[in-house]
Amino acid sequence: GLAANQVGIDAQVAVVNVKEPIVLINPEIVSKEEEVRYYEGCLSFPKKGCHTKRYKTIEVKVDNIESNMTFGAGDTDTDLLESVCVQHEIDHLNGKLFIDYLSRLKRTSIEKKFIKMSKRRS
């Protein structure tokens, strides 16, 4: 997935392509069910993933279709992945990163590794 603000575009638009390409315009999570822990990463923190709390099933209101969209309602790993990806991209649009869900200690550890890795590249 990719959120517009990740590529410098000031718009509430995200795309996700797990089972099929989906465009989300002004997405808003209106309901969520069954909290799960899911290992996820982010292009903003290459090679630095961790377990976060997400929801198995979410309902999302978007401006680009007539009705709300539901993600994660099926029982496959792909359904769950799609739900987590949508939540992740909506977080980006709201200025939140997956590391914001971590304890202060874990977050600081990832941030330090990322800073160290960035210095090696320059």
Side-chain angles (χ1 to χ4, degrees), residues 41-112:
C42 182
L43 293 174
S44 300
F45 296 90
K47 300 179 184 176
K48 304 294 177 212
C50 62
H51 283 91
T52 57
K53 290 181 183 176
R54 294 291 184 183
Y55 293 90
K56 180 180 177 191
T57 305
I58 57 169
E59 185 178 358
V60 180
K61 178 181 177 278
V62 292
D63 286 346
N64 50 314
I65 63 168
E66 297 286 327
S67 62
N68 294 349
M69 302 175 79
T70 301
F71 299 97
D75 290 328
T76 69
D77 290 341
T78 306
D79 294 321
L80 178 58
L81 175 60
E82 187 174 57
S83 176
V84 169
C85 286
V86 169
Q87 292 169 74
H88 183 103
E89 296 311 324
I90 290 174
D91 277 352
H92 275 302
L93 294 175
N94 294 322
K96 195 168 191 172
L97 298 171
F98 79 100
I99 63 169
D100 293 330
Y101 292 98
L102 303 177
S103 69
R104 183 180 219 161
L105 180 65
K106 286 182 181 177
R107 180 181 173 155
T108 301
S109 173
I110 287 177
E111 288 171 339
K112 284 180 181 177

Side-chain angles (χ1 to χ4, degrees), residues 28-32 59-61 68:
E28 176 186 347
I29 297 174
V30 293
S31 72
K32 46 194 170 188
E59 185 178 358
V60 180
K61 178 181 177 278
N68 294 349

Side-chain angles (χ1 to χ4, degrees), residues 2-4 11-16 22-27 86 89-90 93:
L2 190 65
Q12 287 290 301
V13 177
V15 294
V16 173
I22 299 167
V23 177
L24 306 165
I25 299 174
N26 296 320
V86 169
E89 296 311 324
I90 290 174
L93 294 175

Side-chain angles (χ1 to χ4, degrees), residues 17 33 39:
N17 187 359
E33 297 176 15
Y39 188 84

